[in-house]
Amino acid sequence: MIMQWSWKQNASCCIGALREGNERPELFARSWQGRLSALYWRVPIFLWAFTVISWSAVTFWGTTDKFLLYMTHWGLILILLESFFGIVVAAKKFSDFPDLGLSLPWYVKVYWVLYNVAIPVAFLITVFYWVILKSSVKKINYAPNPVLDVMLHGINSMVMLLELMLSAHPSRLVHVMQPLYFSLVYLLFTIIYYSAGGLDPWGNVFIYPVINWSKPQQTLVVAVLTGLFLALMHIVTVALATVRDLIARRCVSSSSGVYNDGFEP
């Protein structure tokens, strides 16, 4: 029985499935301080994401069909979807959640997966842009408007950090495969786009200078290092959630549902 349970747990980790514990659905609808509704920050995040996506689309430097070439825009859409499902969850009255035993409603699960992916991906986009692309030998101005530039590659991480630090539900280490699978989908997209002869808005054969499949060995090294860094961002996310909930245990009279077991097997 122990070997069977261990095999199922390892398989669950590899496929990126949610590991559910004792979370009640209402835990995903409030802040760690208590009964403060998550609507207070998820609605502003949704409006921010919608505004920035619209602004970025209107002022996009290329043709409309190339808007989704960039991980930055994928990350923004992730934030939009994450905050939308977060609003759906938070808008449900606590008494309206169905009694499903240890299982969570499907819309809570969708929100949780998007949450697990959107936060580390936002952190990755910010670091990748300012550390790698901005210091690249071949510099390309991906956001001509400096305010929009900061919104796309800086404020994105700040709003996701806000979501992380105010929420009450856990972030778990075993969910690391979820953001990694998302990044793998984007990587496969870049390969297919290159193989089909796709060009960026400036006529280059690459989307990003450091992800250039005409130089496969160099690009594979960058892809592997980026994947490792994304995994590190997930670990940072879990660590921040753990610190958040340790503080919550000291500040909230009832510790029920505020302890993050992200580092537990």
Side-chain angles (χ1 to χ4, degrees):
M1 288 293 293
I2 294 177
M3 290 182 64
Q4 182 180 11
W5 178 84
S6 178
W7 178 86
K8 287 183 177 180
Q9 184 184 43
N10 291 334
S12 177
C13 177
C14 291
I15 64 175
L18 290 174
R19 183 177 75 81
E20 297 181 46
N22 297 319
E23 301 86 17
R24 301 178 308 281
E26 61 265 24
L27 193 64
F28 295 80
R30 63 171 175 82
S31 71
W32 62 264
Q33 293 96 334
R35 291 290 183 174
L36 180 65
S37 172
L39 290 173
Y40 285 105
W41 67 85
R42 288 179 189 161
V43 170
I45 289 175
F46 176 82
L47 294 175
W48 174 87
F50 181 81
T51 300
V52 173
I53 290 174
S54 302
W55 183 8
S56 184
V58 169
T59 61
F60 184 58
W61 51 89
T63 55
T64 305
D65 60 312
K66 297 184 186 297
F67 181 77
L68 289 179
L69 291 183
Y70 299 98
M71 173 66 86
T72 297
H73 297 147
W74 286 41
L76 278 175
I77 293 172
L78 261 180
I79 294 174
L80 185 74
L81 292 174
E82 188 270 350
S83 56
F84 172 78
F85 277 94
I87 290 170
V88 171
V89 173
K92 297 285 288 185
K93 294 180 180 178
F94 296 147
S95 59
D96 289 344
F97 284 108
D99 184 6
L100 301 176
L102 294 179
S103 182
L104 295 169
W106 69 267
Y107 47 86
V108 176
K109 292 181 178 180
V110 171
Y111 161 72
W112 198 5
V113 171
L114 291 170
Y115 172 93
N116 291 334
V117 176
I119 294 175
V121 166
F123 294 165
L124 171 69
I125 288 171
T126 296
V127 175
F128 187 86
Y129 180 76
W130 295 106
V131 176
I132 305 298
L133 292 182
K134 280 294 188 178
S135 61
S136 175
V137 175
K138 187 176 179 59
K139 291 185 178 180
I140 297 176
N141 191 2
Y142 292 100
N145 186 307
V147 176
L148 181 59
D149 195 12
V150 174
M151 290 286 182
L152 292 170
H153 306 107
I155 305 300
N156 64 320
S157 288
M158 292 181 65
V159 298
M160 284 293 93
L161 182 62
L162 180 71
E163 167 77 291
L164 171 64
M165 299 311 293
L166 290 178
S167 296
H169 55 275
S171 295
R172 294 206 167 103
L173 198 60
V174 295
H175 295 156
V176 66
M177 295 308 300
Q178 294 171 11
L180 288 178
Y181 283 143
F182 174 81
S183 66
L184 181 60
V185 169
Y186 181 77
L187 190 67
L188 291 175
F189 165 74
T190 65
I191 295 174
I192 294 171
Y193 189 76
Y194 170 77
S195 301
L199 303 174
D200 78 346
W202 294 276
N204 298 307
V205 296
F206 52 78
I207 298 175
Y208 294 109
V210 294
I211 304 179
N212 185 353
W213 290 109
S214 64
K215 302 175 182 178
Q217 291 182 336
Q218 172 186 308
T219 301
L220 281 174
V221 170
V222 172
V224 170
L225 291 177
T226 301
L228 291 174
F229 187 78
L230 180 58
L232 176 61
M233 291 299 96
H234 180 76
I235 295 173
V236 169
T237 299
V238 175
L240 289 172
T242 301
V243 171
R244 173 202 71 196
D245 292 340
L246 288 174
I247 295 173
R249 295 184 74 187
R250 293 179 178 272
C251 298
V252 180
S253 57
S254 172
S255 62
S256 175
V258 297
Y259 174 62
N260 187 63
D261 56 353
F263 288 102
E264 293 182 2

